[in-house]
């Protein structure tokens, strides 16, 4: 009985670990750090990861912070914002957050990610992606 319990515990631990890590199995595609724009303070790290299903996930790190603005959203750009890539409203002005990218956006085509104020059509922060 002890042997069976030990086997089941190990199997459960292995399955749990696999399911937690498989969502980000593709690993990091690019990373950057936000800098404020338009007299706003935007700080913290961002990472783009490829999921095991081939989709992409944008992860704002624990240290992410935006001082505040109406209508903040995430978007990509290549040496300037591409407004056709605005893809998600910010869930929170601080802390770790994850966003799934629509299939129509390939992050490899861009070298920046923006926190964009759609209401006033200005950047609140930008991170160069490497």
């Amino acid at each position: 009985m002890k042997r069976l319990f030990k086997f089941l515990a190990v199997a459960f631990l292995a399955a749990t670990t696999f399911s937690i890590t498989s969502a980000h199995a593709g690993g990091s595609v690019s990373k950057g750090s936000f800098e404020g724009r338009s007299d706003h303070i935007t700080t913290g790290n961002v990472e783009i990861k490829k999921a095991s299903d081939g989709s992409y996930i944008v992860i704002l790190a624990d240290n992410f912070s935006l001082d505040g603005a109406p209508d903040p959203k995430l978007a990509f750009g290549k040496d300037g914002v591409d407004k056709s890539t605005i893809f998600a409203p910010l869930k929170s002005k601080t802390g770790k957050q994850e966003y799934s990218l629509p299939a129509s956006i390939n992050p490899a085509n861009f070298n920046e990610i923006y926190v964009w104020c759609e209401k006033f059509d200005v950047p609140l922060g930008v991170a160069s992606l490497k």
Side-chain angles (χ1 to χ4, degrees), residues 32-38 40-46 64-66 113-115 123-128 130:
S33 295
F34 282 104
E35 296 178 359
R37 293 292 188 271
S38 307
H40 284 275
I41 299 169
T42 307
T43 60
N45 300 326
V46 60
F64 174 77
S65 178
L66 169 65
I113 187 164
Y114 285 81
V115 177
L124 304 173
V126 63
S128 293
K130 296 178 172 90

Side-chain angles (χ1 to χ4, degrees), residues 64-81:
F64 174 77
S65 178
L66 169 65
D67 64 350
D71 204 23
K73 297 185 177 166
L74 294 172
F76 283 89
K78 186 163 186 153
D79 304 321
V81 72

Side-chain angles (χ1 to χ4, degrees), residues 106-129:
N106 181 348
N109 296 335
F110 304 98
N111 64 356
E112 299 166 322
I113 187 164
Y114 285 81
V115 177
W116 186 260
C117 176
E118 197 165 34
K119 181 175 181 175
F120 292 108
D121 201 35
V122 296
L124 304 173
V126 63
S128 293
L129 297 171

Side-chain angles (χ1 to χ4, degrees), residues 101-106:
L101 274 181
S104 61
I105 300 175
N106 181 348

Side-chain angles (χ1 to χ4, degrees), residues 30-104:
S30 57
K31 296 178 182 183
S33 295
F34 282 104
E35 296 178 359
R37 293 292 188 271
S38 307
D39 295 323
H40 284 275
I41 299 169
T42 307
T43 60
N45 300 326
V46 60
E47 183 174 14
I48 315 299
K49 288 190 171 189
K50 190 167 189 172
S52 59
D53 65 1
S55 66
Y56 293 96
I57 301 165
V58 174
I59 302 168
L60 304 183
D62 290 332
N63 65 351
F64 174 77
S65 178
L66 169 65
D67 64 350
D71 204 23
K73 297 185 177 166
L74 294 172
F76 283 89
K78 186 163 186 153
D79 304 321
V81 72
D82 177 344
K83 293 180 195 171
S84 73
T85 67
I86 295 172
F87 68 94
L90 214 55
K91 294 176 185 177
S92 174
K93 293 178 183 161
T94 61
K96 186 172 182 173
Q97 305 164 53
E98 292 191 14
Y99 300 87
S100 296
L101 274 181
S104 61

